[in-house]
Amino acid sequence: MTAPVLRQEGKQADCILRTGPAPRSLSGMKTQTDSLVRDLARIIGPANVATGEDAARWSSDWAGTTRWTPLAVARPASTAEVSEVVKLAAARNVPVVPVSGNTGLTRATEAGGALMISLDRMSGIREIRPEARVAVVEAGVVLARLHEAVEEHELIFPLSFGARGSAMIGGALSTNAGGSNVVRYGSTRGLCLGLEVVLADGRVLDLMSALHKDNSGYDLRDLFIGAEGTLGIITGAVLRLFPKPRAYVTAMVACPSISGALRLLNTLQAETGGAVEAFEYMPGAYIDAHLERVANARPPFDARHDVNIMVEIGALSAHDAHPGPDGSIPIATQLEDSLGRLLESGEVLDAVVAQTQAQRAEMWARREAAADVCLLRTPLVHNDIAVSVDKVDALIERTTRRATALDPGIRFLSVAHLGDGNLHFAAWPDTHDPGIHAAIHALVEEETAALGGSFSAEHGIGLSKLDPMARHKSPVAVDVMRTIKAALDPQNIMNPGKVLPPR
């Protein structure tokens, strides 16, 4: 059917508004695609251009919930090749969707009819400079590989989350990923000193600085972190490294309430000099689901508790990490003493401190199984939201109460990076009514906004969160973002339709 055309009398031709795309010749589309593929092959080699069935691995999201057919997938091996590929796309006005590990959860890599640029071949660690505590890397470096490389220098790159075995640095930067260690080290934005970006016209913006101080004009680096490829393609980065803790002590702690858990966090921060690396909340309902869904899983305590916290402390000094004459590690003894005192006062209900690496790994596996546990049943409603840490309790209470009123049989699975206020609201509704699901999403976002929070904490916007972006983001802020987008990408070819809601 031909798309209807609306004309405004007396306006110029560029005021014509279409409610749908103009008709296109299928034979013309095939000719255009064939020509594009030939030119891509000339730039990066035929083996590095995928179409049809060969592009299947790039044609769905991580969860397998959405699928698309890209025009082609280009796999450049250098920044120069990325630049040439983007120049080709710009010359032909072809939309471009960059992809790294494709572990996102907001449909940010959907690319039907677009040219996908995969950074997977750009996996080089250019250099590690231990004295400066920086790593210079390409965007396709897998996070776990970077962890292994810097560990050889007794350093860490502290960004960590469940998908670290496949997530890549470019994607983590493009979504400003968070993870479990934000309470001590901050999000990805704070871990990046410099960037290399290919702009929408193919020019290379070199911001690869290792400086901690630079007041020479606008901070362009931060424009691209969290922009999800809508302003340019990140091809390289200078990342901050930190000393590897000499010892870790990890524990599961049951608290009488979330507010009590926050008092525990503040107590441990004060007593360890800010050494808390992770402070993760798992409610009793999540523990129940984990035990039900994960083979050989064990409960964290003999008795069931509603508020379960996994806490990890990292000791940097030899004084805190060197075993004493009896073999005990001072930082572990300190934590055990603190928890013992709090048990006596009733501020802690139960506690188990890991005594072996296997026990520590079991505690982490329990928390990092959250995504897999949630996906084991449908339907699923989930939100990635953040409020000030002292508002988490109120957010959980309000959203739980209102969602239960809509669906009395709903089952909640929410977990949280409690140390930074990031709640992953998740639930299995008892109904398949999409209207109820949408209403639950909306009420979670409403309550988050009412508490001064954000509807997107660490997963980005993509396509999934365009509606809350339109409803809850400041109109002035969105307008400024559109101005920046138009200035850097006037053809609107860089991951079009993502992040910014339609006018």
Side-chain angles (χ1 to χ4, degrees):
M1 179 183 294
T2 302
V5 178
L6 307 179
R7 295 182 182 271
Q8 294 180 316
E9 294 296 324
K11 299 294 184 180
Q12 295 179 352
D14 62 359
C15 290
I16 295 175
L17 304 176
R18 296 187 182 272
T19 60
R24 298 180 66 182
S25 163
L26 294 180
S27 61
M29 290 175 62
K30 184 179 185 306
T31 300
Q32 180 191 37
T33 301
D34 290 345
S35 175
L36 176 67
V37 169
R38 285 196 300 271
D39 286 344
L40 288 170
R42 175 180 50 79
I43 296 170
I44 60 177
N48 300 310
V49 183
T51 58
E53 293 183 0
D54 293 337
R57 59 179 282 204
W58 293 279
S59 300
S60 66
D61 65 350
W62 168 79
T65 55
T66 58
R67 298 187 180 278
W68 58 85
T69 302
L71 281 177
V73 179
R75 301 175 61 223
S78 67
T79 300
E81 288 186 352
V82 174
S83 173
E84 291 303 311
V85 170
V86 171
K87 287 178 182 176
L88 175 64
R92 300 190 178 201
N93 201 28
V94 172
V96 170
V97 177
V99 58
S100 294
N102 202 23
T103 59
L105 297 170
T106 63
R107 298 166 54 203
T109 57
E110 282 194 24
L115 169 63
M116 298 188 79
I117 299 182
S118 171
L119 283 302
D120 64 328
R121 293 179 66 220
M122 294 188 61
S123 58
I125 298 176
R126 296 176 185 172
E127 59 177 330
I128 296 172
R129 293 156 54 187
E131 291 185 357
R133 291 181 179 169
V134 298
V136 183
V137 304
E138 293 180 341
V141 173
V142 173
L143 186 55
R145 178 169 171 253
L146 178 59
H147 289 166
E148 294 169 359
V150 302
E151 189 173 13
E152 297 176 8
H153 302 274
E154 296 297 317
L155 296 169
I156 61 168
F157 179 62
L159 179 66
S160 184
F161 42 79
R164 61 185 173 273
S166 52
M168 298 176 188
I169 292 299
L173 287 162
S174 293
T175 55
N176 189 29
S180 301
N181 300 109
V182 171
V183 65
R184 186 169 195 178
Y185 301 102
S187 62
T188 306
R189 191 183 300 277
L191 301 177
C192 179
L193 293 173
L195 282 183
E196 179 182 77
V197 183
V198 174
L199 300 177
D201 59 5
R203 289 180 297 164
V204 178
L205 178 61
D206 186 350
L207 303 171
M208 293 289 277
S209 167
L211 300 177
H212 290 263
K213 292 182 178 180
D214 183 357
N215 260 344
S216 56
Y218 301 147
D219 190 347
L220 300 177
R221 172 197 60 197
D222 273 359
L223 278 179
F224 299 95
I225 300 175
E228 301 180 45
T230 60
L231 302 179
I233 300 176
I234 295 173
T235 54
V238 181
L239 303 174
R240 297 179 63 194
L241 306 178
F242 295 81
K244 181 182 178 181
R246 297 170 183 261
Y248 291 101
V249 55
T250 311
M252 288 295 303
V253 184
C255 295
S257 64
I258 292 176
S259 58
L262 289 175
R263 288 193 294 273
L264 169 65
L265 171 61
N266 292 335
T267 296
L268 295 180
Q269 290 285 43
E271 294 183 357
T272 64
V276 175
E277 299 245 336
F279 199 80
E280 300 292 300
Y281 162 70
M282 291 167 278
Y286 171 77
I287 299 296
D288 296 340
H290 182 259
L291 293 171
E292 176 186 340
R293 299 289 173 171
V294 178
N296 302 316
R298 299 190 304 167
F301 308 104
D302 292 335
R304 185 186 184 281
H305 296 282
D306 287 329
V307 179
N308 306 276
I309 301 294
M310 188 197 76
V311 59
E312 181 160 280
I313 296 171
L316 293 176
S317 72
H319 175 270
D320 289 331
H322 188 73
D326 61 352
S328 63
I329 297 175
I331 190 67
T333 301
Q334 182 180 9
L335 178 60
E336 290 168 357
D337 290 345
S338 296
L339 294 175
R341 186 180 70 253
L342 295 170
L343 277 164
E344 289 182 2
S345 68
E347 295 176 78
V348 163
L349 302 177
D350 203 348
V352 177
V353 179
Q355 302 298 313
T356 65
Q357 180 59 33
Q359 291 172 358
R360 177 189 178 219
E362 181 182 24
M363 292 177 181
W364 272 105
R366 180 183 294 116
R367 172 60 182 86
E368 292 185 336
D372 291 328
V373 169
C374 289
L375 290 174
L376 287 172
R377 179 174 166 181
T378 58
L380 171 69
V381 174
H382 64 91
N383 295 67
D384 163 48
I385 48 184
V387 291
S388 173
V389 292
D390 59 337
K391 305 291 186 182
V392 173
D393 201 359
L395 178 62
I396 292 175
E397 188 279 325
R398 292 187 190 186
T399 54
T400 299
R401 173 171 44 81
R402 288 186 60 187
T404 303
L406 285 173
D407 180 3
I410 193 170
R411 185 174 174 184
F412 298 99
L413 303 161
S414 302
V415 296
H417 305 300
L418 188 56
D420 59 55
N422 178 189
L423 174 68
H424 293 290
F425 176 94
W428 288 329
D430 195 36
T431 172
H432 287 266
D433 184 347
I436 298 294
H437 302 169
I440 294 171
H441 273 295
L443 74 85
V444 172
E445 292 156 3
E446 289 167 8
E447 294 296 347
T448 302
L451 291 168
S454 170
F455 55 84
S456 179
E458 62 179 4
H459 292 165
I461 304 299
L463 290 174
S464 300
K465 296 191 178 183
L466 291 179
D467 285 346
M469 190 76 169
R471 288 195 301 267
H472 299 295
K473 193 69 176 178
S474 159
V476 176
V478 173
D479 217 30
V480 171
M481 292 181 200
R482 288 191 177 118
T483 300
I484 294 170
K485 168 73 168 173
L488 293 179
D489 181 20
Q491 291 178 270
N492 190 30
I493 64 169
M494 304 303 293
N495 212 2
K498 317 294 173 52
V499 179
L500 296 174
R503 290 186 182 275

